[in-house]
Amino acid sequence: MLYTAFLFGLISSFHCIGMCGPIAMMLPVERNNPSKKVIQIITYHLGRLTAYGSVGLLFGLLGRGLFLAGIQQQLSIFIGVAMILVILIPEKIFAQYNFSKPMYGWISKIKQNLGSHFKNKSFKSLFIIGLLNGFLPCGMIYVALFGAIAMQSVGFGLLYMLLFGLGTVPLMSLVVYINSFITVPVRNRIQKIIPYVGIVIGVLFILRGLGLGIPYVSPSNMSLYVQEKANCH
């Protein structure tokens, strides 16, 4: 299921252009030194990947605990259903409940710190900009974190989020070079694809939990459990 992380990150990057694109466009990089500019952009992405990896580690730890509780199949089905619901339920419904209100203070501090580092072209500042950028609330990241939990492993949870982040790198890098490489109508049409991709990934997690015996998609129930003795024939 790790491949779904990169695929979702690649498609989600069209959403990222609207949310985080302005941050990428404002990066304090060297405009007249192409080689240094590339290294600076990579440093920014390393900061983002560090943030994604950190939360992936935490949610992978949560998934590991649920795995040890023996509910891995149910967890995979629940995660798949949750992914689909988050995508299908209109955002305005979530906005009514204002789930992010407790984080307003934290988000405000992140934005303040971001502003201070845009005045500095050092690699440290670029890394911190990427790091803080990665911790900003984002619906696509929330969906990816469901996948990290479903990995049921600390290492794979971290890897899932890193692959998600890597999927966003190509387009987010291109934004730094060409601010208007894609028109708003085209971007809107591509963003309409994102929910379908998310739903497909959710269905894959549901199939995985059902244990239908389909190689690489829905392994049998036996292979989903850790057993004291090997099941050999």
Side-chain angles (χ1 to χ4, degrees), residues 154-167:
V154 177
F156 282 126
L158 184 152
L159 184 57
Y160 194 92
M161 290 305 297
L162 286 179
L163 287 172
F164 168 79
L166 284 172

Side-chain angles (χ1 to χ4, degrees), residues 93-171:
I93 293 180
F94 287 112
Q96 292 177 358
Y97 297 96
N98 210 2
F99 293 116
S100 60
K101 188 174 181 179
M103 300 190 296
Y104 279 169
W106 178 58
I107 295 171
S108 178
K109 289 181 180 179
I110 289 179
K111 290 182 176 180
Q112 288 177 4
N113 286 327
L114 270 172
S116 64
H117 286 286
F118 275 111
K119 302 174 183 178
N120 195 330
K121 291 186 178 182
S122 69
F123 289 107
K124 178 182 177 181
S125 288
L126 285 161
F127 180 84
I128 293 176
I129 289 172
L131 184 70
L132 295 175
N133 186 180
F135 283 124
L136 287 174
C138 172
M140 298 299 101
I141 293 177
Y142 298 156
V143 174
L145 286 174
F146 281 130
I149 295 174
M151 288 296 99
Q152 304 163 4
S153 161
V154 177
F156 282 126
L158 184 152
L159 184 57
Y160 194 92
M161 290 305 297
L162 286 179
L163 287 172
F164 168 79
L166 284 172
T168 67
V169 167
L171 204 54

Side-chain angles (χ1 to χ4, degrees), residues 199-211:
I199 290 171
V200 169
I201 292 174
V203 170
L204 287 173
F205 275 107
I206 292 172
L207 290 174
R208 178 178 180 238
L210 291 174

Side-chain angles (χ1 to χ4, degrees), residues 38-119:
V38 170
I39 299 174
Q40 288 175 320
I41 293 172
I42 291 173
T43 303
Y44 161 72
H45 287 309
L46 285 175
R48 288 201 309 123
L49 291 174
T50 299
Y52 294 157
S54 299
V55 292
L57 189 69
L58 292 175
F59 280 81
L61 185 62
L62 173 61
R64 178 62 178 171
L66 295 172
F67 170 79
L68 293 176
I71 57 172
Q72 51 267 47
Q73 281 186 272
Q74 297 91 325
L75 175 63
S76 188
I77 294 171
F78 172 79
I79 293 297
V81 172
M83 280 183 169
I84 294 172
L85 288 177
V86 168
I87 290 170
L88 291 181
I89 296 175
E91 190 175 345
K92 61 183 180 181
I93 293 180
F94 287 112
Q96 292 177 358
Y97 297 96
N98 210 2
F99 293 116
S100 60
K101 188 174 181 179
M103 300 190 296
Y104 279 169
W106 178 58
I107 295 171
S108 178
K109 289 181 180 179
I110 289 179
K111 290 182 176 180
Q112 288 177 4
N113 286 327
L114 270 172
S116 64
H117 286 286
F118 275 111
K119 302 174 183 178

